[in-house]
Amino acid sequence: MAEAHQAVGFQFTVRPDGVDFKLSQEVIKNIYLSGVTAWKKRAIQFKNGVLAGVYPASPSSWLIVVIAMMSSLYIRIDPSLGMIDAIKDNLPQSVVPFLSREHVSVQTRVVLSAILFATGLWLFLIYLLRYTLKVLLSYHGWIFESHGKMSTSTKVWLSLVKMFSGRRPLLYSFQASLPRLPVPSVDDTIHRYLESVRPLLDNDQYNQMEILANDFRDFKAAQLQRYLILKSWWATNYVSDWWEEYIYLRGRSPIMVNSNFYIMDLLYMTPTHRQAARAGNVVHAMLQYRRKLERGEHAPLRALGTVPMCSTQMERMFNTTRIPGIETDIVQHLTDRKHLVVYHKGRFFQVWLYTGGRHLLPSELETQFQRILNDTSEPQPGELKLAALTAGNRVPWARARIKYFSQGVNKVSLDAIESAAFFLTLDDEPQGYDPAKTNSLDSYAKSLLHGKCYNRWFDKSFTLISYPNGKIGINAEHSWADAPIVGHMWEYVLATDCFHLGYTEEGHCKGDVNKGLPLPTRLQWQIPKECQEVIETSYLSAKQIADDVDFHGYLFTDFGKGLIKKCRTSPDAFIQLALQLAQFRDQGVFCLTYESSMTRMFRDGRTETVRSCTSEAVAFVRAMEDADATNAQRLALFRKAADKHQNMYRLAMTGSGIDRHLFCLYIVSKYLGVDSPFLKKVLSEPWKLSTSQTPQQQLNLVDINKFPKYVGAGGGFGPVADDGYGVSYIIVGENLITFHISCKFSCPNTDSYRFGQNIQKAMLDIQGLFKPENDEKVVERRKHIENGKKHI
């Protein structure tokens, strides 16, 4: 569309007496404003790049050092200890290219030498500050201290970190100061691994695993470890690139359900019930977030308000697409893309996001989206289910992309989708949480996770989904980043939408309506019969996966982290032990449990695994099921298990986890052709219970104590194992925990609703350990759950 604007802005007619030029002043003005905006953006990016590049110093500090150096020379004190004189004597001719050395005065050469020395000293001081900060950030003793207690050494450490952290950091200011992820010792990793599987194996199985582990440690581990340490010295992170490639991009199975995850809208509030208006405000808020992201103007996330987290994953949030390949996919990230692709009722539309060098206003975006909603044209042949290619197996999609989408209008249209800022779907069926409707969260979750299998572009970094009742949500591709990164953006967008942009009394976006905007452009396709057959095959395989997903979401409102903290225990450990109790009651056995923790205190860090099913957790669960055990005994075992879990979580966060180290050792073994039965066994073990906590209030833009209705419902993911559960939980404020539970209908032993009931009862039973036995509310809730009807 921008190209069309320029075409009509410059016209000419050839006449016998010459050429008659005609210029459209309005279009030329827009072109001028676009150019000014682009240069302004480059200038801001350059400025912020310089500020982040010299942080924790500032450009003005260079001038201070230069002035101090010149002043010392003026009073005939040489702080350089003769280095300025040495620079002066060896000053190359190229420094002053327009003058010969004979014409440069001694005073000029002294000034130039002093400036060069001051600059070198300034750069050295920056490096020293960064190195000192990196050493300070390598200390993790603070994280192992009891909650609410802080030792004197930690207080001193925090003061030093604050002192060396500078003022007003930008998003990427701390990147050069973050420590590298350490490589744990093989002995520690194997010891922790054997400890983690002990409660899951009988004596014979454990002895066999111990033999495999010891054989690996004694004969093969040292060689693999040396290569891994070498990589840790060379690369910024010894795990992340291999994790992205081998866990995500090399997977050939569908990413829908198996990899992608979703995030829901506000739980109780719907700012407007007009679909186009809600989409207009949300898209505009995303553009504001993207502008700050491209300029690096977001504040870096910091633990305790002081310890910085890595921001690398945020770089690829927008303008990013996963491109399918025969053997492996790639993540394509572009910059400065000015359009959006919208899907509605089987049609693809291209919408430009800028006019006159500025973002479209929310009211202008609403107009564009309403035009799409009003469009009654029919899909072109093969267009309706085209996006199902991104939902099916990767190899057929990669081959179809090469054969049918590498030239002509298909290539142009596919390029428009893959280069778009993100993908927007205007759905035609309402969704969202409704307390009056049974299983409304279940339907909402399934819609976000897979939809109709052809109305989300699963390869985009994220697909924004807008519903007719004003609700929204996100489906996110997983390879480029983890859920907290998308959650950071989502919190900004929801707060901006509700508290800064707002709506009129009629529910429309605020602002004047610009009716002069060019119409959204339909993407054109020429899809042959053979390609349509590939699309249909992908759709059928994807639909089979989607139909097999059994989902249950519910709100746990009996208590939240406020009451759990009063019990002097970690909310995460409390929930994880409740999950272990629920799992045992549901399946009758314990299983290998995955809990995701972040490693973003290190450069380019992503995640680590916490193996939540510990011997201490097993002992606690057995005591809960033992009628002869007393509450005092159960409570003592609970505290022991909770402390063990917290220690494991902290070890994982500080680079002493188990699974990423073993994973990388396995990759090295494959490169070297070293066969390791131990590593094969470890990497083939199924995670029958996969869990994750979605963080809330990363930005603290909304005071949920003041606005309790403006809380998000969190998000979730599909089941990891065919016969297991996927559980995402979100601790919302002080009195609410939301659970998103998934499994497969095809497994006769799993049921998401039943597991949810088991979690709810486990939570109440554990809480009952901290309260009198005759607590009427607890007893009443237990009876209600036990007598509840089975979910169908």
Side-chain angles (χ1 to χ4, degrees):
M1 190 59 66
E3 292 84 351
H5 271 272
Q6 296 181 34
V8 299
F10 181 79
Q11 301 178 10
F12 67 92
T13 304
V14 180
R15 297 181 176 179
D17 57 343
V19 180
D20 181 25
F21 290 95
K22 293 182 180 180
L23 297 176
S24 170
Q25 292 185 358
E26 181 180 354
V27 177
I28 295 300
K29 178 183 176 182
N30 284 335
I31 294 172
Y32 167 76
L33 291 174
S34 296
V36 171
T37 301
W39 282 106
K40 188 183 296 184
K41 177 182 176 180
R42 291 190 186 99
I44 293 172
Q45 288 177 329
F46 176 78
K47 181 197 74 172
N48 290 340
V50 171
L51 291 175
V54 302
Y55 199 84
S58 64
S60 59
S61 63
W62 172 81
L63 187 60
I64 293 173
V65 174
V66 170
I67 292 174
M69 194 61 56
M70 301 300 294
S71 300
S72 65
L73 292 179
Y74 180 76
I75 59 176
R76 300 189 181 282
I77 297 176
D78 184 9
S80 71
L81 302 177
M83 292 186 66
I84 292 178
D85 287 336
I87 295 173
K88 178 190 67 176
D89 295 338
N90 295 279
L91 198 65
Q93 182 64 31
S94 58
V95 175
V96 280
F98 301 110
L99 295 172
S100 63
R101 275 184 79 170
E102 290 77 12
H103 291 90
V104 178
S105 66
V106 174
Q107 185 176 5
T108 301
R109 290 166 60 194
V110 170
V111 169
L112 288 173
S113 301
I115 292 174
L116 289 173
F117 176 78
T119 301
L121 178 63
W122 178 67
L123 293 174
F124 171 76
L125 291 175
I126 290 174
Y127 177 81
L128 183 62
L129 286 171
R130 285 182 175 177
Y131 182 78
T132 304
L133 184 57
K134 182 179 290 189
V135 171
L136 288 170
L137 294 176
S138 298
Y139 167 75
H140 298 119
W142 61 275
I143 205 171
F144 290 92
E145 294 184 349
S146 300
H147 184 71
K149 298 180 181 179
M150 187 177 292
S151 65
T152 303
S153 59
T154 296
K155 291 179 181 177
V156 172
W157 171 79
L158 271 176
S159 299
L160 290 173
V161 171
K162 290 178 181 178
M163 183 175 68
F164 283 97
S165 291
R167 299 176 59 191
R168 298 179 182 177
L170 297 171
L171 181 61
Y172 303 113
S173 293
F174 290 112
Q175 291 301 106
S177 301
L178 292 174
R180 294 170 185 258
L181 182 68
V183 181
S185 72
V186 173
D187 287 343
D188 287 346
T189 296
I190 290 179
H191 171 74
R192 292 187 185 120
Y193 171 77
L194 291 174
E195 185 182 30
S196 73
V197 298
R198 185 65 188 93
L200 305 174
L201 305 175
D202 59 31
N203 290 334
D204 291 339
Q205 291 172 327
Y206 180 77
N207 290 335
Q208 183 181 5
M209 180 59 74
E210 196 172 31
I211 291 170
L212 289 176
N214 291 334
D215 179 73
F216 170 74
R217 179 185 57 197
D218 295 339
F219 300 104
K220 299 173 183 177
Q223 179 190 14
L224 306 181
Q225 180 80 344
R226 282 195 295 270
Y227 281 100
L228 208 54
I229 291 174
L230 179 63
K231 188 193 177 191
S232 73
W233 292 344
W234 176 254
T236 54
N237 189 295
Y238 80 93
V239 175
S240 294
D241 57 339
W242 284 350
W243 185 253
E244 179 177 309
E245 179 179 359
Y246 292 102
I247 297 300
Y248 294 113
L249 298 180
R250 283 187 178 266
R252 302 294 82 200
S253 59
I255 61 175
M256 183 200 74
V257 175
N258 296 325
S259 177
N260 286 28
F261 58 92
Y262 68 85
I263 301 180
M264 290 181 170
D265 192 8
L266 295 172
L267 189 58
Y268 304 112
M269 294 295 299
T270 306
T272 179
H273 292 283
R274 296 185 182 274
Q275 184 176 17
R278 187 77 196 282
N281 259 13
V282 168
V283 169
H284 184 79
M286 285 182 168
L287 295 178
Q288 289 183 327
Y289 184 91
R290 183 177 75 160
R291 178 169 58 192
K292 294 185 69 174
L293 182 62
E294 289 175 340
R295 296 174 177 180
E297 292 176 346
H298 289 290
L301 192 65
R302 293 197 270 184
L304 301 179
T306 304
V307 183
M309 303 286 112
C310 180
S311 302
T312 300
Q313 293 182 57
M314 301 175 75
E315 295 174 353
R316 298 186 291 180
M317 186 174 297
F318 296 91
N319 320 314
T320 299
T321 304
R322 177 170 173 163
I323 305 296
I326 303 299
E327 295 183 356
T328 183
D329 296 350
I330 62 170
V331 177
Q332 173 185 276
H333 174 65
L334 306 171
T335 57
D336 200 27
R337 290 307 188 264
K338 296 180 169 59
H339 71 277
L340 179 69
V341 171
V342 182
Y343 179 91
H344 177 59
K345 289 188 176 180
R347 296 86 45 82
F348 293 83
F349 296 83
Q350 186 174 23
V351 177
W352 290 95
L353 301 172
Y354 289 76
T355 182
R358 62 167 175 81
H359 290 149
L360 290 186
L361 301 176
S363 57
E364 295 170 330
L365 288 165
E366 179 186 359
T367 299
Q368 297 294 69
F369 299 148
Q370 191 60 52
R371 286 172 171 174
I372 294 174
L373 291 171
N374 295 338
D375 190 305
T376 58
S377 60
E378 293 295 321
Q380 300 162 72
E383 185 180 18
L384 175 66
K385 298 180 181 179
L386 175 63
L389 289 171
T390 68
N393 289 304
R394 304 305 290 173
V395 174
W397 170 210
R399 289 174 175 160
R401 188 176 185 276
I402 295 170
K403 187 173 182 179
Y404 303 111
F405 298 91
S406 59
Q407 58 185 356
V409 294
N410 288 350
K411 184 180 188 305
V412 173
S413 296
L414 183 61
D415 285 347
I417 294 174
E418 293 180 342
S419 64
F422 53 92
F423 193 83
L424 169 63
T425 293
L426 297 175
D427 261 16
D428 50 5
E429 296 178 3
Q431 295 288 350
Y433 172 65
D434 185 349
K437 293 182 179 180
T438 306
N439 303 332
S440 61
L441 272 180
D442 307 4
S443 173
Y444 187 19
K446 283 178 68 68
S447 174
L448 291 173
L449 186 63
H450 54 69
K452 296 179 180 178
C453 302
Y454 58 78
N455 56 349
R456 287 94 176 87
W457 199 269
F458 294 101
D459 285 354
K460 288 299 290 183
S461 55
F462 66 89
T463 295
L464 174 65
I465 301 150
S466 172
Y467 295 103
N469 58 347
K471 282 295 183 182
I472 54 173
I474 276 183
N475 179 286
E477 201 276 313
H478 209 331
S479 65
W480 65 275
D482 302 308
I485 304 302
V486 185
H488 186 278
M489 179 268 291
W490 198 232
E491 287 183 27
Y492 176 94
V493 167
L494 293 180
T496 303
D497 170 33
C498 298
F499 293 94
H500 296 282
L501 298 177
Y503 300 88
T504 65
E505 292 182 359
E506 295 78 20
H508 292 286
C509 294
K510 294 179 179 179
D512 297 330
V513 178
N514 183 357
K515 296 182 179 180
L517 291 172
L519 293 172
T521 308
R522 277 286 301 273
L523 297 185
Q524 299 301 309
W525 306 96
Q526 293 178 359
I527 303 176
K529 273 287 185 184
E530 296 82 2
C531 183
Q532 293 180 35
E533 292 174 1
V534 176
I535 294 172
E536 186 65 20
T537 301
S538 292
Y539 165 69
L540 292 175
S541 65
K543 189 176 186 301
Q544 186 176 7
I545 294 172
D547 290 344
D548 197 23
V549 175
D550 176 17
F551 223 101
H552 178 57
Y554 76 93
L555 312 180
F556 183 85
T557 56
D558 294 277
F559 57 87
K561 71 175 181 180
L563 182 60
I564 295 175
K565 286 183 177 179
K566 288 181 181 178
C567 299
R568 293 180 291 112
T569 190
S570 157
D572 183 71
F574 187 102
I575 295 172
Q576 284 291 325
L577 288 172
L579 291 175
Q580 290 301 315
L581 181 55
Q583 162 70 24
F584 186 76
R585 287 172 173 174
D586 189 86
Q587 297 293 311
V589 294
F590 296 98
C591 69
L592 195 62
T593 304
Y594 182 109
E595 181 190 4
S596 177
S597 80
M598 65 89 182
T599 56
R600 288 173 59 204
M601 289 190 295
F602 301 97
R603 182 79 177 268
D604 294 344
R606 289 200 60 163
T607 61
E608 178 57 273
T609 303
V610 181
R611 293 175 167 239
S612 302
C613 186
T614 61
S615 296
E616 291 80 0
V618 168
F620 162 71
V621 170
R622 293 196 183 280
M624 289 295 290
E625 297 300 278
D626 183 0
D628 296 330
T630 65
N631 271 5
Q633 292 172 329
R634 293 167 177 165
L635 184 58
L637 290 171
F638 170 84
R639 293 203 179 280
K640 187 177 180 181
D643 290 343
K644 175 67 174 182
H645 179 83
Q646 277 298 94
N647 186 61
M648 291 179 59
Y649 199 95
R650 290 161 176 165
L651 287 170
M653 288 181 63
T654 53
S656 297
I658 301 168
D659 289 275
R660 299 303 178 267
H661 185 203
L662 293 176
F663 163 75
C664 289
L665 288 172
Y666 177 75
I667 297 299
V668 174
S669 74
K670 299 302 288 184
Y671 278 127
L672 297 179
V674 175
D675 182 63
S676 171
F678 169 70
L679 292 177
K680 286 181 180 179
K681 180 72 174 175
V682 172
L683 271 295
S684 64
E685 293 170 335
W687 301 98
K688 290 192 177 183
L689 180 58
S690 182
T691 71
S692 177
Q693 179 185 170
T694 304
Q696 288 275 336
Q697 296 297 99
Q698 296 185 73
L699 297 174
N700 292 316
L701 295 175
V702 179
D703 185 350
I704 58 177
N705 294 319
K706 187 176 180 181
F707 301 99
K709 296 295 184 181
Y710 288 86
V711 294
F717 51 90
V720 174
D722 292 338
D723 56 349
Y725 290 104
V727 181
S728 173
Y729 54 95
I730 300 88
I731 301 172
V732 186
E734 298 295 312
N735 303 300
L736 173 65
I737 303 171
T738 63
F739 287 90
H740 302 250
I741 306 164
S742 65
C743 62
K744 292 189 176 183
F745 285 116
S746 57
C747 177
N749 299 324
T750 58
D751 183 291
S752 64
Y753 180 81
R754 184 185 71 210
F755 195 69
Q757 292 294 96
N758 281 323
I759 294 174
Q760 195 170 11
K761 187 175 184 299
M763 295 279 287
L764 291 169
D765 286 349
I766 294 175
Q767 186 239 3
L769 299 178
F770 298 90
K771 303 187 72 176
E773 288 285 351
N774 59 354
D775 188 297
E776 294 181 0
K777 183 179 179 182
V778 173
V779 173
E780 183 181 346
R781 287 294 293 158
R782 285 195 194 119
K783 289 181 179 178
H784 175 74
I785 294 168
E786 289 169 356
N787 296 329
K789 293 182 179 180
K790 176 127 175 99
H791 167 62
I792 305 215

